[in-house]
Amino acid sequence: MTIEQPRSPRFAVLIDADNTSPQIASGLFEEIAKFGEASVRRIYGDFSGPQLKSWAEILQKHAIDPYQQFAYTKGKNASDIALVIDAMDLLHSGRFDGFCLVSSDSDFTRLASRLREQGADVYGFGTQKTPESFRQACRRFIYTENLLPETQAAGKDELKPRPLQSPSDAVPILKKAVSQLDSEDGWVSLGMVGTQLTNLVSDFDVRTYGFKKLSDLVRKTNIFEIEKVDSGRMRIRIKSKAASVGKR
């Protein structure tokens, strides 16, 4: 008897071509594959002009369906309106577990909130300059700078891309996450810290600070004690004297 594997959550991926670089396409779908299946892949923009030519060249590679929106009136974004209408239609179809909204435009803040009100998970993707209102309206927000290929993100004389922020910038949110976890002796599971971080800040991502693992970021801050327990899992606590807080 064959046991069927549970199906991954289904997501509708809706891309605002005017506010998204095509260079992140491969990294985008690799990221989405970590938490679900990109069942619908749509991109919105005016592909009749030269501005989106670079997008047109990679649509087939990633099976992205282009939705042409002519700019009939200057200053009016028909693409945004079309994306919102389609999102609501897809929501009411009941076929999807969540949405991936790919844009750096704060105009999608209300859409993200509305989708979540209806019980759908919303993952946002945009640049670090994306307004906080949109970032916090999403369950999680991933900076597209973290999705660029390393060879492209890095300069010619660098072996790896520079972090978007210094590890010392992560200290306040790390300390807050640890302090909010109830523990008599101060020790808390690193896994629980990771969960609490995403609950506190939708855009927390260790890659933003130049690391691939939370444990490496925690070590770099030099304000935590770290040890492995019998199960092999890690736990941490704030050092009693954090004179070296934020040192790199």
Side-chain angles (χ1 to χ4, degrees), residues 18 23 44 50 72 76 95 116 121 135 147 158 184 199 203 213 223 225 232:
D18 294 324
Q23 298 164 356
Y44 301 80
Y72 295 110
K76 299 293 183 182
R95 296 184 290 118
R116 293 189 71 186
D121 285 334
R135 287 187 277 123
L147 304 180
E158 297 176 277
E184 293 184 0
N199 290 336
D203 58 358
K213 296 190 295 183
I223 67 166
E225 296 179 62

Side-chain angles (χ1 to χ4, degrees), residues 59-100:
L59 297 180
Q60 185 175 4
K61 177 181 178 182
H62 296 285
I64 307 172
D65 293 326
Y67 279 62
Q68 171 66 33
Q69 300 296 321
F70 292 101
Y72 295 110
T73 305
K74 189 175 181 180
K76 299 293 183 182
N77 198 332
S79 299
D80 289 3
I81 297 172
L83 190 155
V84 171
I85 292 173
D86 280 6
M88 297 311 296
D89 285 344
L90 293 169
L91 171 69
H92 292 302
S93 74
R95 296 184 290 118
F96 300 93
D97 300 291
F99 292 79
C100 296

Side-chain angles (χ1 to χ4, degrees), residues 135-171:
R135 287 187 277 123
Q136 296 305 322
C138 301
R139 177 185 175 184
R140 279 207 65 204
F141 193 90
I142 295 95
Y143 293 139
T144 50
E145 291 93 340
N146 289 327
L147 304 180
L148 289 169
E150 288 194 3
T151 54
Q152 188 164 339
K156 293 182 180 179
D157 299 325
E158 297 176 277
L159 296 177
K160 62 180 181 179
R162 291 180 179 179
L164 300 179
Q165 295 182 40
S166 165
S168 62
D169 293 332
V171 169

Side-chain angles (χ1 to χ4, degrees), residues 2 74 83 92 104 138 149 181 197 219 226 237 246:
T2 304
K74 189 175 181 180
L83 190 155
H92 292 302
S104 302
C138 301
L181 296 172
L197 285 167
R219 286 193 184 93
I226 306 175
R237 71 177 177 185

